[in-house]
Amino acid sequence: MKKKFLSGIAAAAFLSLAAVSCNNDDDKETVIGASELPAVTDVFVKAHFPNVTYVLIKKEHRPESDGTVYEVRLSNGFEIDFDVQGNMVDIEGYGQAVPMEFVSEPIQAYLMANYKNFFVTSIDNERGTTEIELSNRVELIFDLQGNFLGIDR
């Protein structure tokens, strides 16, 4: 009886490990080359970051909740996510200033009026909202028209 019980526990542990190993992030994305990006993505990167190279490019097998299909890491430390058509979804500067040309005019006006001493370090375009992280680590939430909705805490 004790032997069957221990065998059952061992089998359950094995199945649990097998399930975890199959549910691995590596199964959801593939590393690709720049030639496999949509042409518009390559044009975007070269236009806005002309002196950088690609460090890593990943393609999601299924779009993420925000539409991200391509995750691009650049030699200047930026990470930019693009949708299946090659349009920018998110940009992360990891403490560096994100070019203000990526920020809509209404949001730029709000930032100048309320946070002029800080710069944008990331932009996350979620479904229905845009989240802007500033150099003071405050995350601001705006609707798609650029109206301020609140601070993400």
Side-chain angles (χ1 to χ4, degrees), residues 10 28 30 34 45 60 69 71 77 113 145 149:
K28 297 191 309 186
T30 303
V45 170
E60 299 290 329
V69 173
E71 294 178 17
Q145 290 72 42
L149 298 176

Side-chain angles (χ1 to χ4, degrees), residues 80-146:
I80 309 172
D81 295 345
F82 297 91
D83 65 16
V84 70
Q85 289 88 25
N87 302 306
M88 187 189 86
V89 175
D90 303 323
I91 184 166
E92 174 66 58
Y94 294 102
Q96 300 177 81
V98 169
M100 286 302 283
E101 63 200 72
F102 301 142
V103 180
S104 70
E105 288 184 22
I107 295 175
Q108 283 186 34
Y110 180 86
L111 295 175
M112 287 304 297
N114 297 283
Y115 293 93
K116 64 182 173 185
N117 295 325
F118 303 98
F119 56 87
V120 174
T121 59
S122 74
I123 302 170
D124 290 326
N125 292 303
E126 300 295 328
R127 293 181 191 252
T129 63
T130 298
E131 294 181 16
I132 303 286
E133 184 173 349
L134 301 175
S135 54
N136 64 350
R137 304 189 58 86
V138 169
E139 289 186 32
L140 307 172
I141 303 171
F142 298 86
D143 66 16
L144 296 179
Q145 290 72 42

